[in-house]
Amino acid sequence: MFRQMLKDAMDSLTPSKKSIAHIGDELEELAEDEAEYDAEEESAAPDEYFEPEVKRKSSKKTRKKLIIKEEQPVYATARFIEEVEIKNFKGIKHIKFKLPPASGKKESWLMFIGENGVGKSSILQAIGLALAGETKANALNLNWSSLIRNARGISKSEVKIRFTDRSSDLNMQITSDVVTTTPKESGVLTLGYGSTRFLPKGAIIDEIHRTVPEIRSLFDHLTPLKNVEQWLADTKEVKANEFNWIAGSLHDLLLMKTGGKKKGNRGQLFRRSRGRITMNIDGEPLGLKDLCDGYKSVMAYAMDIMMSVHKHFPSIRDAEGVVLLDEIETHLHPTWKIRIVDLIRGVFPRINFIVTTHDPLCLRGMLKKEVHVLTKGADGVMMEQLDVPPGMPIEDLLLGAWFKMDTTLDMDTIRLIDEHRALRQSTTEDSKRKERIKELEKKIDDRMQYNRTETFARKIVNTFYDEALSPDDMEDTSEFKSKLAARLRERLKK
């Protein structure tokens, strides 16, 4: 194969276009590629999804080993957020909240839930701007007036962040023309990702990412992330043992099955060659851009985090900082949503994640004091910290104080129940009314058979429907309430 590659290379080169030295360099690179290719072909084996030539020399400890680099990390001193206070930022008048202390060796998370437009994304933006620092924040060139709450006498937004080391608070002010922070830099590596996460379509110039803050995606959802494929495929930038750890982490994070079918690439789930990364999906090698949206969405920000912290810390697992992630559930299957928090905690244990979601499945994995519910009140946005009891059914979360839904039934069934209620309350006595009531009760009862799982919330709902469909005549509202309360007490005892 090398002879054919050599012939093709020589045929494509002429002295007028290439110098003899340049030709020699290219031939040397071709030889290296051929040697790497041959090593991969020879060593490919079941359940092998790292770079084979390193896997042969390593044990299972390779993935877990912390890779120490020569350079010192830029963010050497650990700074974790203890408390955040936001005033007059967009629709937020005033809120204050604390991050819980770390749990064992893993840093705390914070998850915000609430209806659309209540201010979840605004909180991420406010924190992101403050932590980015004065220079990087102003480089965004945003319409600063749009970030100041629209109310009489309000001319600035304010954010105050207190850190666990208590060395100094971070204060940010936004006026109509500038952002100022004291001190000017937070000393905290901060990354922000909006609800839409794009991999770049073409090459991204490295200089862009040296000057633009890593939070632009929070304000512009069309902003592509870094060219992570180019970075990860660079064998000089990412050494083989580091690539193995990253590949193993992505394998776990994406819930991928180990193994493949194709001879010569069997089980090798990640491979890099000639500036490209391929993944073995069901025995077929696919490029990153050919993956499903769920894979691309998670890989986009996971690899972006890895690339961003790579040069600053001894290893990716050692990385410390803050990641702001809007709508963590985007493009994920329910099985993935339930596990996503635990999976990310495992890959980035030392990073504070502050995230938002509309999906109760993503609350799985959240610990004590990590879930906050946002609502709109007379005085603006209000916040309540509500823990999720382990094992609580999803329907109870939806109908409970976390999502405050009235029902989880479909609209057609709700219309039948409303019609039944109206007919029962009617004083008109005729045969058609009674026949329609019986018809509705039969339809509703047939549909409710799928909702008989007795969770706490379902016990209440089923009791209501049982009483509402009771054949007993309901003389007045107080009698109905009395019967409902009695039935409910009996059911909850079971």
Coordinates of all heavy atoms in Angstrom, one line a residue, residues 361-411:
L361 N -37.2 14.6 33.4 CA -36.3 13.5 33.4 C -34.9 13.9 33.8 O -34.1 13.1 34.3 CB -36.3 12.8 32.0 CG -37.6 12.1 31.7 CD1 -37.5 11.6 30.2 CD2 -37.9 10.9 32.6
C362 N -34.5 15.1 33.4 CA -33.2 15.6 33.6 C -32.9 16.0 35.1 O -31.8 16.3 35.5 CB -32.9 16.9 32.8 SG -32.8 16.5 31.0
L363 N -34.0 16.0 35.9 CA -33.8 16.2 37.3 C -33.2 15.0 38.1 O -32.7 15.1 39.2 CB -35.1 16.6 38.0 CG -35.4 18.1 38.0 CD1 -35.6 18.7 36.6 CD2 -36.7 18.4 38.8
R364 N -33.2 13.8 37.4 CA -32.6 12.7 37.9 C -31.1 12.9 38.1 O -30.4 13.4 37.1 CB -32.8 11.5 37.1 CG -34.2 11.1 36.8 CD -34.9 10.8 38.1 NE -36.2 10.1 37.9 CZ -37.2 10.1 38.7 NH1 -37.2 10.8 39.8 NH2 -38.3 9.4 38.4
G365 N -30.5 12.6 39.2 CA -29.1 12.9 39.4 C -28.8 14.2 40.1 O -27.6 14.4 40.5
M366 N -29.8 15.0 40.3 CA -29.6 16.3 41.1 C -29.6 16.0 42.6 O -30.4 15.2 43.0 CB -30.6 17.3 40.7 CG -30.7 17.7 39.2 SD -29.1 18.3 38.6 CE -28.9 19.8 39.5
L367 N -28.7 16.6 43.3 CA -28.6 16.3 44.7 C -29.3 17.4 45.6 O -30.0 18.3 45.0 CB -27.1 16.3 45.1 CG -26.3 15.3 44.3 CD1 -24.8 15.4 44.7 CD2 -26.8 13.9 44.4
K368 N -29.1 17.3 46.9 CA -29.8 18.3 47.8 C -29.4 19.7 47.5 O -28.2 20.0 47.3 CB -29.5 17.9 49.2 CG -30.2 16.7 49.7 CD -30.0 16.4 51.2 CE -30.8 15.2 51.7 NZ -30.6 15.0 53.1
K369 N -30.4 20.6 47.5 CA -30.2 22.0 47.3 C -29.7 22.4 45.9 O -29.2 23.5 45.7 CB -29.2 22.6 48.4 CG -29.7 22.4 49.8 CD -28.8 23.1 50.8 CE -29.2 22.8 52.2 NZ -30.6 23.3 52.5
E370 N -29.8 21.5 44.9 CA -29.3 21.9 43.6 C -30.4 22.2 42.6 O -30.1 22.7 41.5 CB -28.6 20.7 43.0 CG -27.2 20.4 43.7 CD -26.4 19.3 43.0 OE1 -27.0 18.5 42.3 OE2 -25.2 19.3 43.3
V371 N -31.7 22.1 43.0 CA -32.8 22.4 42.1 C -33.6 23.7 42.5 O -34.0 23.7 43.7 CB -33.8 21.2 42.0 CG1 -35.0 21.6 41.1 CG2 -33.1 20.0 41.4
H372 N -33.7 24.6 41.6 CA -34.4 25.9 41.9 C -35.6 26.1 40.9 O -35.4 25.9 39.7 CB -33.5 27.1 41.9 CG -32.5 27.1 43.0 ND1 -32.7 28.0 44.1 CD2 -31.4 26.4 43.3 CE1 -31.6 27.8 44.9 NE2 -30.9 26.8 44.5
V373 N -36.7 26.4 41.5 CA -37.9 26.6 40.6 C -38.2 28.1 40.5 O -38.3 28.8 41.5 CB -39.2 25.9 41.2 CG1 -40.4 26.2 40.3 CG2 -38.9 24.5 41.4
L374 N -38.3 28.6 39.2 CA -38.5 30.0 39.0 C -40.0 30.2 38.6 O -40.6 29.5 37.8 CB -37.6 30.5 37.8 CG -36.1 30.5 38.1 CD1 -35.4 31.0 36.8 CD2 -35.7 31.2 39.3
T375 N -40.6 31.2 39.2 CA -42.0 31.6 38.8 C -42.1 33.1 38.8 O -41.2 33.9 39.3 CB -43.0 31.1 39.9 OG1 -42.6 31.6 41.2 CG2 -43.0 29.6 39.9
K376 N -43.1 33.6 38.1 CA -43.4 35.1 38.0 C -44.4 35.5 39.1 O -45.5 34.8 39.2 CB -43.8 35.4 36.6 CG -42.8 35.4 35.6 CD -43.3 35.9 34.2 CE -42.2 36.0 33.2 NZ -42.7 36.5 31.9
G377 N -44.1 36.5 39.8 CA -45.0 37.0 40.8 C -45.2 38.5 40.7 O -44.7 39.1 39.7
A378 N -45.9 39.1 41.6 CA -46.2 40.5 41.5 C -44.9 41.4 41.6 O -44.9 42.4 41.0 CB -47.2 40.9 42.7
D379 N -43.9 40.9 42.3 CA -42.7 41.6 42.4 C -41.6 41.1 41.4 O -40.4 41.3 41.6 CB -42.1 41.5 43.8 CG -43.0 42.2 44.8 OD1 -43.7 43.2 44.4 OD2 -43.1 41.7 46.0
G380 N -42.0 40.4 40.4 CA -41.1 39.9 39.4 C -40.8 38.5 39.5 O -41.6 37.7 40.1
V381 N -39.6 38.1 39.1 CA -39.2 36.7 39.2 C -38.9 36.2 40.6 O -38.2 36.9 41.3 CB -37.9 36.4 38.3 CG1 -37.5 35.0 38.4 CG2 -38.2 36.8 36.9
M382 N -39.5 35.1 41.0 CA -39.3 34.6 42.3 C -38.7 33.2 42.2 O -38.8 32.5 41.2 CB -40.6 34.5 43.1 CG -41.3 35.8 43.3 SD -42.8 35.6 44.4 CE -43.8 34.6 43.3
M383 N -37.9 32.8 43.2 CA -37.1 31.6 43.2 C -37.4 30.8 44.4 O -37.4 31.3 45.5 CB -35.6 31.9 43.0 CG -34.7 30.7 43.0 SD -33.0 31.2 42.9 CE -33.0 31.9 41.2
E384 N -37.6 29.5 44.3 CA -37.8 28.6 45.4 C -36.9 27.4 45.2 O -36.9 26.7 44.1 CB -39.2 28.2 45.5 CG -39.5 27.3 46.7 CD -41.0 26.8 46.8 OE1 -41.7 27.1 45.8 OE2 -41.4 26.2 47.8
Q385 N -36.2 27.0 46.3 CA -35.3 25.8 46.2 C -36.1 24.6 46.6 O -36.7 24.6 47.7 CB -34.1 26.0 47.1 CG -33.0 25.0 46.9 CD -33.2 23.7 47.6 OE1 -33.5 23.7 48.8 NE2 -33.2 22.6 46.9
L386 N -36.2 23.6 45.7 CA -37.0 22.4 46.0 C -36.2 21.2 45.7 O -35.9 20.9 44.5 CB -38.3 22.4 45.2 CG -39.5 23.4 45.7 CD1 -40.6 23.3 44.7 CD2 -40.0 22.9 47.0
D387 N -35.9 20.4 46.7 CA -35.2 19.1 46.4 C -36.2 18.1 45.8 O -37.4 18.1 46.0 CB -34.7 18.5 47.7 CG -33.5 19.3 48.3 OD1 -32.9 20.0 47.5 OD2 -33.3 19.2 49.5
V388 N -35.6 17.2 45.0 CA -36.4 16.1 44.4 C -36.1 14.9 45.1 O -35.0 14.3 45.1 CB -36.0 15.9 42.9 CG1 -36.8 14.8 42.3 CG2 -36.2 17.2 42.1
P389 N -37.1 14.3 45.8 CA -36.9 13.1 46.6 C -36.5 11.9 45.7 O -37.1 11.7 44.6 CB -38.3 12.8 47.2 CG -39.0 14.1 47.2 CD -38.5 14.8 46.0
P390 N -35.5 11.2 46.0 CA -35.1 10.1 45.2 C -36.2 9.1 45.0 O -36.9 8.7 45.9 CB -33.9 9.4 46.0 CG -33.4 10.5 46.9 CD -34.6 11.4 47.2
G391 N -36.4 8.6 43.7 CA -37.4 7.7 43.4 C -38.8 8.2 43.1 O -39.7 7.5 42.8
M392 N -38.9 9.6 43.2 CA -40.2 10.2 42.9 C -40.6 9.9 41.5 O -39.8 10.2 40.6 CB -40.2 11.7 43.2 CG -41.5 12.4 42.8 SD -41.6 14.1 43.4 CE -42.2 13.8 45.1
P393 N -41.8 9.4 41.2 CA -42.3 9.2 39.8 C -42.3 10.5 39.0 O -42.6 11.6 39.6 CB -43.7 8.6 40.0 CG -43.7 8.0 41.4 CD -42.8 8.9 42.2
I394 N -42.1 10.4 37.7 CA -42.1 11.6 36.9 C -43.4 12.3 36.9 O -43.4 13.6 36.9 CB -41.7 11.2 35.4 CG1 -40.3 10.6 35.4 CG2 -41.9 12.4 34.5 CD1 -39.2 11.6 35.8
E395 N -44.5 11.6 37.0 CA -45.8 12.3 37.0 C -46.0 13.1 38.2 O -46.6 14.2 38.2 CB -46.9 11.3 36.9 CG -48.3 11.9 36.7 CD -49.4 11.0 36.3 OE1 -49.3 9.8 36.6 OE2 -50.4 11.4 35.7
D396 N -45.4 12.7 39.3 CA -45.5 13.5 40.5 C -44.7 14.8 40.4 O -45.1 15.8 41.0 CB -45.0 12.7 41.7 CG -46.0 11.6 42.2 OD1 -47.0 11.5 41.5 OD2 -45.6 10.8 43.1
L397 N -43.6 14.7 39.7 CA -42.8 15.9 39.4 C -43.6 16.9 38.6 O -43.6 18.1 38.8 CB -41.5 15.6 38.7 CG -40.4 14.9 39.6 CD1 -39.2 14.5 38.7 CD2 -39.9 15.8 40.7
L398 N -44.3 16.4 37.5 CA -45.0 17.2 36.6 C -46.2 17.9 37.3 O -46.5 19.1 37.1 CB -45.5 16.4 35.4 CG -44.4 15.9 34.5 CD1 -45.0 15.0 33.4 CD2 -43.8 17.1 33.7
L399 N -46.9 17.1 38.2 CA -48.1 17.6 38.8 C -47.8 18.3 40.2 O -48.6 19.0 40.7 CB -49.1 16.5 39.1 CG -49.6 15.8 37.9 CD1 -50.5 14.5 38.3 CD2 -50.5 16.7 37.0
G400 N -46.5 18.2 40.6 CA -46.2 18.8 41.9 C -45.7 20.2 41.7 O -45.8 20.9 40.7
A401 N -44.9 20.7 42.8 CA -44.5 22.1 42.9 C -43.4 22.4 41.9 O -43.1 23.5 41.7 CB -44.0 22.4 44.3
W402 N -42.8 21.4 41.3 CA -41.7 21.6 40.4 C -42.1 22.2 39.0 O -41.6 23.1 38.5 CB -40.9 20.3 40.2 CG -40.2 19.9 41.4 CD1 -39.0 20.2 41.9 CD2 -40.8 19.0 42.4 NE1 -38.7 19.6 43.1 CE2 -39.8 18.9 43.4 CE3 -42.0 18.4 42.5 CZ2 -40.0 18.1 44.6 CZ3 -42.2 17.6 43.6 CH2 -41.3 17.4 44.6
F403 N -43.2 21.5 38.5 CA -43.7 22.0 37.1 C -45.1 22.5 37.2 O -45.6 23.1 36.2 CB -43.5 20.8 36.1 CG -42.1 20.5 35.8 CD1 -41.4 19.6 36.5 CD2 -41.5 21.2 34.7 CE1 -40.1 19.3 36.2 CE2 -40.1 20.9 34.4 CZ -39.4 20.0 35.2
K404 N -45.8 22.2 38.3 CA -47.1 22.8 38.5 C -48.2 22.6 37.4 O -49.0 23.4 37.1 CB -47.0 24.3 38.8 CG -46.2 24.7 40.0 CD -46.1 26.2 40.2 CE -45.4 26.5 41.4 NZ -44.0 26.2 41.4
M405 N -48.1 21.4 36.8 CA -49.1 21.1 35.7 C -50.4 20.7 36.4 O -50.5 20.1 37.4 CB -48.6 20.0 34.8 CG -47.4 20.4 34.0 SD -46.8 19.1 32.9 CE -48.3 18.8 31.8
D406 N -51.5 21.0 35.7 CA -52.8 20.7 36.2 C -53.2 19.2 35.9 O -53.9 18.6 36.7 CB -53.9 21.6 35.6 CG -53.7 23.0 36.0 OD1 -53.3 23.3 37.2 OD2 -54.0 23.9 35.2
T407 N -52.7 18.7 34.8 CA -53.0 17.4 34.4 C -51.9 16.9 33.4 O -51.3 17.7 32.8 CB -54.4 17.2 33.8 OG1 -54.6 15.9 33.4 CG2 -54.5 18.1 32.6
T408 N -51.8 15.6 33.2 CA -50.9 15.1 32.2 C -51.8 14.3 31.1 O -51.2 13.6 30.3 CB -49.9 14.1 32.8 OG1 -50.6 13.0 33.5 CG2 -49.0 14.8 33.7
L409 N -53.1 14.5 31.2 CA -54.0 13.9 30.2 C -54.0 14.7 28.9 O -53.6 15.9 28.9 CB -55.4 13.8 30.8 CG -55.6 13.0 32.0 CD1 -57.1 13.1 32.5 CD2 -55.3 11.5 31.7
D410 N -54.4 14.0 27.8 CA -54.5 14.6 26.5 C -55.7 15.6 26.5 O -56.6 15.4 27.3 CB -54.6 13.6 25.4 CG -55.8 12.7 25.6 OD1 -55.7 11.7 26.4 OD2 -56.8 13.0 24.9
M411 N -55.7 16.5 25.6 CA -56.8 17.5 25.5 C -58.1 16.9 25.2 O -59.2 17.4 25.7 CB -56.4 18.6 24.5 CG -55.2 19.4 24.9 SD -55.3 20.2 26.5 CE -56.8 21.2 26.3

